[in-house]
Amino acid sequence: MVTITVGAPTHPASERLYGVFFEDINHGADGGLNANMVDNYSFDGVYLHHESLRLKGADRWRIEADPLRGWRFDGVTATSCGTEIRGERGRRVATDCPAPPIHRNSRYARIAIGGLHLTECAAHPSIENYGYGGDLRRAGLYAMSIMRDHTYDFTAAVRPVNGKVALHVTVIGADDRPIVDDVRFDVDRFAGEPMRDGWVQVRYALTGLANDYGALHIDVIGEPGATFDLDCVSLMDADSWGAGDPKWRYGRLRRDLVESIAALKPAFVRFPGGCIVEGVTPGNEYRWKDTVGALPARRQQANMWAYKTPDGGMYSQSYQIGFYEYFCLCEDLGAKPLPTLFAGITCQSPYRDPKHVDTDSDWFRDVVVQEYLDLIDFANGDPDESPWAAVRRDMGHPEPFGLDMIGVGNENFGADYVEKFDAISRAVHGKDPHMLCVMSAGLFPFRLPMRRTWNHAHAVAAGQVPGVAAMPGDDDVCGDGRAVREPGFGSPSILVDEHAYHSPEWFIAQAHRFDDYRRDGTGVYFGEYSANGYFAAQPQNYDHASQWRSALAEAAFLTGCERNSDVVKMTSYAPLLSHVTAHGWEQNLIEFNPAHVRPSVNYEAERLFSANYGTCVYDCRIDGDTDDLYVSATGDDGRVHDDDRMRRFVKLVNTGERRIGVTLNVTSRDDDRDTCDMADTSRSLHVETLTADPYARNTLDYTGDGHDCVTRTVRDSTLPEADGPVRMALVLPSYSITLVRLS
């Protein structure tokens, strides 16, 4: 029998401890969070050409424009048109254009009837798009999810060029039968809302006729030689996240995915990456300015993770979900934004092609550093004074987004990175001295390779590196009057971003990792973690990924993060999302197919932690055999919620194969009432336990809603009011996570 006593508070809990990290990997954005189901919707596709891992140097990673990829043309000829195109290493290359595009950054398709062979039995020439994850090489693998009686918004920009053309739009299923109702319209200046240079935007609502996957099918009706222009084709469920909200007037989000993220109650969202921030070759880095403004103004970019997808190439970042949408999502989730920007070094992970921008160059000062300063204006600036703040206002959000932290590079390391971090941080603090800068500790989760970063961070916190430390806020105070950045978050001078992809055994052993970290004004952001066995050389395949044993190990690790949340300020799992056909990484928090979402067991464990978390950390004294037992306790009091209840959230993780009997004692009165006061009564008890076979996993196929392997047991009861400790007996099943919530 083990006795656990939850006693007095030890320190305020970091109110940002649990967040999410979103990167467009595994088709997490296009094909996932992006509600538009049309692949390469604007004929602007830019793709990565990857020559495996042979020693080809920079030639291994090449960016190539392929504006018509993802579309099937039958009985028509299609020509890509625009005033510029992405050239080698992302350079802008001017091209001839027969008529103006919607925006100079945008290309379009000029469609003429005739030329290509018309499929036998086809009534008319046609254009098709199978959607993200669909297969153009094998007709019938469609990826656009349609549900009966749902409304779908179809929009497109068209322009008449020559002759009379009518378009007949529907979505067809695998048997070529319509699965939505259809619409037919003439391509002329009366077709819809006039735009510039002869462009017209058409909008129609289509109703689902069946529950099926389909492809967008557009019949082109007219005489041979009749020609029109087409751009910005969109098909999405009308019930997308933010529908009807004027701030969501551009990119729109898939509702069920946002709701799954919201259920984690994230305190922050880190975006857009991840390795996407740096890219794999010069010109492939993420430029946030390419992702804001009207959709046609956004300049697409090759997705570096294409080399890990099964087809190796169908992966362009359309930027329909860009920095504006990420900020809006943070606002809707009640989460703080943590944008992470390029620091002047391309990806330094093994087998990549890292290049360093000269820190003394004009390009570093005028482009790399300026991106940070302009982003602060975009997020927080006054629209009447800042052009970038005016962009935010014109997009539908005149109020500032409240940005107070920013990441400087991703998984960068070395002396040159430290120099670049200091240069960027000084510029950032010259603009906003309170902005918290997050410093990368690199890819490897071991003390030796992180030593340079941590030594520098300690020097920054000690005031030995002028201009690099963030100043504490002077307008946010907690109950005792101490000036802090936020109550419960403290005033770190600098955050260090550690990452870890290791075995379940390693994560269990790391439950006490942070016990001896220095409390000197530095803070830890554990920005990417997963017990996927990567650094332990364990199999990286679907059958071994996202098993319950990995969720247990991560839960044991999180008890250590909670206990040390005075120094561990933030954590986030990675990757967040994965389309079932696009597993670049096999172990992910939330998996989805075109129609359904199936969170992993790792998600279920994290949600139990993040949704049950208080404002203070409490001492846990453990007596007895505790080799496989990991415990943490947080809570709060009536001062936080304006009532007289004390709350405790006790997490107990049993990573072993035997059951553990526990006597749990929870004190109900503090001697140190200045730190976290609480009342004398407990009213309700909630005990929730998650168990599964250690090698079981949740599953999801391309169709259907999948299978859940976790057994969840819940016991609720009401306790009599009483002074003194609350005592209870518990049995912790083998391989289990148990939450005890007292309130």
Side-chain angles (χ1 to χ4, degrees):
M1 177 68 70
V2 175
T3 300
I4 300 173
T5 301
V6 178
T10 58
H11 58 265
S14 171
E15 67 169 26
R16 300 189 193 181
L17 184 62
Y18 294 110
V20 295
F21 159 51
F22 179 79
E23 181 174 15
D24 189 3
I25 186 174
N26 310 318
H27 277 292
D30 289 328
L33 201 58
N34 177 13
N36 184 8
M37 296 182 285
V38 179
D39 189 358
N40 191 16
Y41 83 112
S42 61
F43 306 100
D44 287 307
V46 184
Y47 302 93
L48 182 72
H49 183 78
H50 175 239
E51 294 286 346
S52 74
L53 294 179
R54 294 194 300 273
L55 297 179
K56 287 180 172 285
D59 287 339
R60 288 193 295 112
W61 311 95
R62 290 189 288 112
I63 299 169
E64 56 186 17
D66 190 359
L68 302 180
R69 189 179 296 191
W71 292 86
R72 178 174 178 268
F73 302 97
D74 187 11
V76 300
T77 59
T79 305
S80 173
C81 302
T83 57
E84 64 178 44
I85 198 167
R86 286 227 187 218
E88 184 181 358
R89 295 192 180 274
R91 295 186 181 93
R92 298 187 183 196
V93 178
T95 57
D96 293 332
C97 186
I102 299 174
H103 187 278
R104 68 179 181 86
N105 291 344
S106 177
R107 298 186 69 82
Y108 61 91
R110 174 153 288 188
I111 312 294
I113 299 176
L116 297 179
H117 176 69
L118 184 63
T119 301
E120 186 178 356
C121 300
H124 300 284
S126 64
I127 306 169
E128 284 187 348
N129 189 289
Y130 289 14
Y132 295 100
D135 192 342
L136 288 167
R137 296 165 295 183
R138 182 169 64 84
L141 183 57
Y142 298 153
M144 296 183 178
S145 175
I146 301 298
M147 298 188 69
R148 188 188 305 274
D149 297 328
H150 275 225
T151 299
Y152 296 87
D153 293 333
F154 170 80
T155 62
V158 297
R159 177 169 58 188
V161 176
N162 178 52
K164 293 184 178 180
V165 178
L167 301 183
H168 177 250
V169 180
T170 189
V171 177
I172 59 172
D175 58 1
D176 291 337
R177 294 182 180 180
I179 57 175
V180 302
D181 56 12
D182 56 2
V183 62
R184 174 171 171 162
F185 58 90
D186 294 328
V187 178
D188 58 30
R189 63 190 181 92
F190 305 108
E193 180 182 351
M195 303 170 71
R196 57 181 295 180
D197 297 317
W199 288 97
V200 178
Q201 186 172 57
V202 297
R203 297 177 181 272
Y204 292 98
L206 306 175
T207 302
L209 304 176
N211 297 327
D212 201 356
Y213 292 171
L216 178 66
H217 181 91
I218 304 174
D219 283 325
V220 182
I221 304 166
E223 297 296 325
T227 306
F228 71 102
D229 294 334
L230 180 65
D231 199 1
C232 296
V233 183
S234 175
L235 181 73
M236 66 178 69
D237 194 318
D239 187 29
S240 62
W241 183 267
D245 186 337
K247 81 179 182 185
W248 288 102
R249 66 186 65 176
Y250 296 111
R252 302 268 287 277
L253 308 184
R254 179 171 157 176
R255 177 176 292 278
D256 55 356
L257 286 176
V258 176
E259 290 173 345
S260 295
I261 297 170
L264 291 169
K265 297 186 177 179
F268 68 91
V269 179
R270 175 186 173 212
F271 58 88
C275 292
I276 277 179
V277 169
E278 313 106 321
V280 290
T281 188
N284 188 224
E285 64 272 10
Y286 195 104
R287 302 288 299 279
W288 71 264
K289 294 175 183 177
D290 287 345
T291 78
V292 299
L295 295 182
R298 305 183 186 187
R299 299 184 67 244
Q300 294 200 22
Q301 175 62 279
N303 192 307
M304 59 155 289
W305 291 114
Y307 83 98
K308 295 196 69 149
T309 58
D311 65 11
M314 292 291 292
Y315 209 167
S316 177
Q317 297 178 80
S318 75
Y319 292 151
Q320 293 169 82
I321 308 302
F323 259 50
Y324 173 80
E325 286 76 21
Y326 289 133
F327 278 116
C328 287
L329 176 61
C330 292
E331 183 175 76
D332 287 359
L333 295 174
K336 284 289 187 179
L338 175 54
T340 301
L341 302 187
F342 180 56
I345 308 173
T346 55
C347 189
Q348 294 176 272
S349 295
Y351 309 113
R352 306 289 166 81
D353 179 32
K355 301 293 184 185
H356 296 242
V357 176
D358 184 354
T359 310
D360 292 327
S361 67
D362 291 341
W363 199 87
F364 182 81
R365 289 188 295 270
D366 299 341
V367 178
V368 175
V369 174
Q370 197 62 41
E371 289 268 308
Y372 289 80
L373 306 183
D374 290 343
L375 179 62
I376 294 171
D377 277 343
F378 177 78
N380 295 346
D382 183 344
D384 294 330
E385 298 180 359
S386 163
W388 284 110
V391 171
R392 183 193 74 232
R393 175 199 61 203
D394 295 345
M395 292 185 73
H397 202 286
E399 303 82 8
F401 282 118
L403 176 67
D404 65 3
M405 55 184 176
I406 196 164
V408 180
N410 169 74
E411 291 184 345
N412 293 137
F413 57 89
D416 183 54
Y417 170 68
V418 172
E419 181 183 13
K420 287 176 165 55
F421 176 84
D422 286 352
I424 293 168
S425 297
R426 287 190 180 100
V428 166
H429 293 143
K431 189 174 188 65
D432 183 348
H434 306 300
M435 187 67 63
L436 182 61
C437 290
V438 180
M439 186 180 189
S440 167
L443 173 64
F444 303 99
F446 313 115
R447 294 205 176 189
L448 181 60
M450 293 192 301
R451 181 180 297 169
R452 185 193 300 272
T453 294
W454 271 109
N455 286 345
H456 191 73
H458 292 313
V460 169
Q464 298 169 1
V465 189
V468 177
M471 299 295 293
D474 54 8
D475 54 355
D476 292 319
V477 295
C478 66
D480 61 5
R482 289 179 295 110
V484 293
R485 187 174 304 277
E486 283 184 347
F489 188 68
S491 299
S493 302
I494 184 173
L495 287 186
V496 175
D497 182 11
E498 297 188 4
H499 293 179
Y501 297 99
H502 216 298
S503 66
E505 296 78 12
W506 184 89
F507 271 91
I508 291 171
Q510 297 298 305
H512 295 279
R513 177 185 182 94
F514 306 109
D515 291 359
D516 62 352
Y517 271 46
R518 286 163 57 177
R519 274 67 173 170
D520 62 351
T522 57
V524 179
Y525 168 37
F526 216 74
E528 297 183 30
Y529 72 88
S530 172
N532 62 12
Y534 181 78
F535 277 123
Q538 295 179 353
Q540 297 297 296
N541 55 45
Y542 185 80
D543 290 338
H544 290 84
S546 301
Q547 296 174 334
W548 180 241
R549 69 191 189 102
S550 67
L552 279 173
E554 291 156 6
F557 175 74
L558 288 176
T559 63
C561 294
E562 286 197 351
R563 287 186 294 99
N564 290 285
S565 59
D566 56 333
V567 67
V568 183
K569 297 299 182 180
M570 303 191 299
T571 65
S572 52
Y573 186 98
L576 178 63
L577 299 177
S578 180
H579 193 294
V580 295
T581 67
H583 286 147
W585 286 87
E586 295 291 351
Q587 178 146 321
N588 306 284
L589 207 60
I590 301 170
E591 295 193 344
F592 60 92
N593 61 27
H596 300 283
V597 174
R598 172 60 58 183
S600 67
V601 294
N602 311 78
Y603 172 99
E604 298 298 344
E606 178 161 327
R607 183 171 61 174
L608 199 69
F609 274 69
S610 63
N612 297 276
Y613 181 65
T615 61
C616 284
V617 175
Y618 288 82
D619 177 64
C620 292
R621 189 177 71 250
I622 305 175
D623 299 309
D625 182 4
T626 61
D627 286 348
D628 299 318
L629 179 61
Y630 301 86
V631 182
S632 62
T634 63
D636 46 51
D637 61 14
R639 184 177 61 196
V640 175
H641 295 279
D642 295 326
D643 57 29
D644 61 351
R645 292 188 177 188
M646 76 94 169
R647 293 169 176 81
R648 295 291 181 273
F649 306 97
V650 185
K651 285 92 172 222
L652 307 103
V653 182
N654 180 7
T655 62
E657 62 182 356
R658 64 181 181 86
R659 298 190 307 168
I660 300 176
V662 170
T663 298
L664 179 63
N665 300 320
V666 182
T667 59
S668 59
R669 178 179 292 277
D670 277 326
D671 293 329
D672 184 6
R673 302 178 72 90
D674 291 333
T675 305
C676 249
D677 195 15
M678 59 184 177
D680 297 335
T681 60
S682 298
R683 296 188 176 89
S684 66
L685 171 66
H686 173 91
V687 180
E688 184 172 351
T689 300
L690 307 181
T691 59
D693 181 277
Y695 294 96
R697 55 164 295 139
N698 291 350
T699 58
L700 182 67
D701 295 324
Y702 188 61
T703 58
D705 60 359
H707 170 72
D708 187 351
C709 73
V710 175
T711 298
R712 185 189 309 270
T713 59
V714 177
R715 178 165 60 92
D716 289 305
S717 57
T718 302
L719 301 178
E721 296 186 5
D723 292 335
V726 175
R727 294 186 175 88
M728 67 193 76
L730 301 170
V731 175
L732 307 181
S734 60
Y735 308 118
S736 67
I737 305 172
T738 298
L739 164 72
V740 176
R741 184 172 68 225
L742 285 163
S743 58

